[in-house]
Amino acid sequence: AILSIMFQITDVEIVMKTMSARDAKNGFGLLLDTARAEPVTIEKHGRPVVVVLAVEEYERITEVINKQNDLGTKLRSRRKLK
C-alpha cells in the first residue's frame, strides 16, 4: 500500500508517497505510474532507501544543480582575481 508522509524544507511542505520494497516489487506498474506524477520513496524494513522519480523531474533537478555549480565556480574565479 502507498502511504503519504510529509516533511518540511525551508517552510515548503512536500508530500511524498512511500511504498515498501515488497509493494514496489509486486506493484511495479503502480510504482511507475505514481513516480511519473510525483516522487515515491521506497522503504525497506521501514527505512527509506531510494526515491523513484520521473525522468523529467530528474533532469530538472540536475539542471538546477549544474547551474548552481556553474555559479559557484564563477564566484570562486572572481574571488581569485581580486
Side-chain angles (χ1 to χ4, degrees):
I2 297 179
L3 306 171
S4 291
I5 61 170
M6 291 186 270
F7 56 94
Q8 288 193 345
I9 299 175
T10 62
D11 298 328
V12 176
E13 188 175 276
I14 298 173
V15 178
M16 189 178 302
K17 300 283 185 180
T18 63
M19 185 180 267
S20 71
R22 178 177 300 186
D23 289 341
K25 175 184 172 187
N26 294 335
F28 192 69
L30 175 61
L31 170 61
L32 292 179
D33 291 343
T34 305
R36 291 184 71 201
E38 60 186 304
V40 180
T41 300
I42 307 299
E43 295 181 342
K44 195 163 187 174
H45 305 292
R47 300 174 73 185
V49 291
V50 297
V51 174
V52 180
L53 60 143
V55 169
E56 296 83 5
E57 183 65 8
Y58 172 79
E59 290 171 345
R60 186 190 69 76
I61 291 169
T62 55
E63 183 178 332
V64 168
I65 291 169
N66 288 335
K67 285 181 181 179
Q68 289 176 343
N69 287 341
D70 291 346
L71 178 59
T73 300
K74 288 177 185 177
L75 290 173
R76 283 189 295 279
S77 294
R78 286 184 184 172
R79 287 184 191 140
K80 289 179 182 177
L81 293 175
K82 290 182 178 184

